[in-house]
Amino acid sequence: MSTLTLEDVAVRYTKRGVSALAGYSDVILPGEWLGLIGPNGAGKSSLLKAIAGLVRSDGRLAVDGVVLDDLNDRSRAALVAYVAQDPLIPNDMTTREYVLLGRTPYIGYFGSPTRADHRVVDDVLERLRLGEFADRLLGELSGGERQRIVLARALAQQAPILLLDEPTSALDIGHQQQALELVAELRRTERITVISALHDLTLAGTYTDRLVMLHHGAVVAAGDAAEVLTADRLGKIYNVCVTVEVDVDELGNRQVVVVPRRGFPAP
Ligand SMILES: Nc1ncnc2c1ncn2[C@@H]1O[C@H](COP(=O)(O)OP(=O)(O)OP(=O)(O)O)[C@@H](O)[C@H]1O
Ligand SMILES: [Mg+2]
């Protein structure tokens, strides 16, 4: 159970002098799921990488008052797990070996995985229904299978904060739902804090508690799905023609549905 505090977090890529993210501040509570949305290049991945410590950032990032930049890689990885948008995957590793890497923060430098580590790996593989791939080489799996295995590695890390950058982009609709439902269950049962970037706006609105829309590195809207996902705003920010519908199921759950329409948006 951890609270993530961001104070004026900014990312600038020095090589090209690009400012990818202007000062972003937020408090993300234990068990909360924050969805980052916004067009290509908006700064979503930059923000997630800053939290994961993979790009240099200005400002302050803290988990329960512990400043992340003061931690070594291992201690940081025990707090923050990260699924990259385009992960580098070693083709010659088996699924089980790769998912076991998620346990690295808990295994001493010269130590070997314990039975408990293997149990965590088995459990995650089972929950993501990846058992049949356990002994297969990653280079011999499909793109969607590999993406689920990358998610499995992050879940095996058992960090209280989980960062997901487009974790379902290569998944079919069934596996998308399975992966997001598993994350939803983990945050309910383990109070994991989740921050995800998702391009599918309907899914983003359905699974998260709160959406933040970024554009050119700055927040242009924040709130629940009904507040943020308006046809007018999506038209302006994404340059797209959509309608937004609110669907109410038999249990009274409301779901904001973004439907792309033929045509070009007004300039
Ligand atoms: N390593 C880098 N060096 C220089 N500029 C970068 C680097 N990575 C990203 N950028 C730039 O920073 C800006 C934000 O990129 P970022 O990857 O955060 O966007 P995003 O919102 O994740 O986009 P997408 O939806 O396409 O994944 C873009 O203008 C991008 O070109
Ligand atoms: Mg991105």
Side-chain angles (χ1 to χ4, degrees):
M1 293 209 351
S2 299
T3 299
L4 174 65
T5 310
L6 301 99
E7 287 170 29
D8 240 356
V9 175
V11 177
R12 173 178 288 280
Y13 295 104
T14 41
K15 225 196 251 164
R16 288 176 41 231
V18 177
S19 168
L21 183 72
Y24 181 85
S25 298
D26 206 341
V27 175
I28 302 142
L29 298 172
E32 188 177 3
W33 189 335
L34 171 69
L36 301 174
I37 56 172
N40 293 140
K44 306 178 295 295
S45 296
S46 300
L47 174 53
L48 293 173
K49 285 180 191 167
I51 302 168
L54 299 171
V55 295
R56 228 189 59 74
S57 60
D58 293 322
R60 185 172 179 276
L61 284 156
V63 173
D64 296 332
V66 175
V67 175
L68 290 178
D69 281 342
D70 291 345
L71 300 176
N72 62 24
D73 289 350
R74 253 162 200 272
S75 309
R76 194 169 182 143
L79 286 179
V80 181
Y82 166 73
V83 172
Q85 185 168 11
D86 45 7
L88 274 176
I89 295 178
N91 285 335
D92 53 354
M93 251 189 187
T94 67
T95 295
R96 189 187 297 281
E97 288 165 346
Y98 182 74
V99 175
L100 191 58
L101 290 179
R103 302 301 299 162
T104 308
Y106 309 102
I107 301 169
Y109 279 107
F110 301 105
S112 31
T114 62
R115 215 180 284 168
D117 293 313
H118 286 290
R119 251 201 314 273
V120 171
V121 170
D122 286 341
D123 180 54
V124 170
L125 290 176
E126 191 189 312
R127 289 169 97 164
L128 278 166
R129 296 187 202 140
L130 287 166
E132 63 178 297
F133 302 110
D135 299 314
R136 302 240 329 247
L137 292 178
L138 298 181
E140 296 170 2
L141 299 178
S142 81
E145 288 160 357
R146 278 201 295 267
Q147 196 171 34
R148 284 159 60 214
I149 286 157
V150 174
L151 178 62
R153 174 186 160 161
L155 295 179
Q157 211 169 315
Q158 291 187 318
I161 294 173
L162 178 62
L163 310 176
L164 304 171
D165 199 349
E166 301 293 344
T168 56
S169 55
L171 303 191
D172 66 58
I173 188 168
H175 286 118
Q176 259 181 16
Q177 195 170 52
Q178 187 196 317
L180 294 173
E181 286 294 337
L182 177 57
V183 173
E185 184 191 321
L186 287 172
R187 73 157 183 147
R188 205 176 48 243
T189 54
E190 326 279 322
R191 304 272 286 155
I192 286 181
T193 304
V194 185
I195 309 178
S196 63
L198 283 176
H199 274 303
D200 186 315
L201 298 172
T202 302
L203 281 183
T206 300
Y207 280 92
T208 62
D209 303 305
R210 185 158 64 91
L211 290 176
V212 165
M213 187 186 285
L214 295 172
H215 189 37
H216 298 312
V219 175
V220 289
D224 67 23
E227 288 166 324
V228 173
L229 301 174
T230 64
D232 188 44
R233 179 176 293 124
L234 294 174
K236 285 197 184 94
I237 302 291
Y238 285 82
N239 200 28
V240 69
C241 193
V242 293
T243 52
V244 176
E245 293 160 15
V246 178
D247 181 72
V248 184
D249 70 13
E250 57 276 15
L251 298 173
N253 298 315
R254 291 156 62 84
Q255 185 175 19
V256 177
V257 182
V258 177
V259 186
R261 299 288 178 193
R262 288 292 304 269
F264 292 101

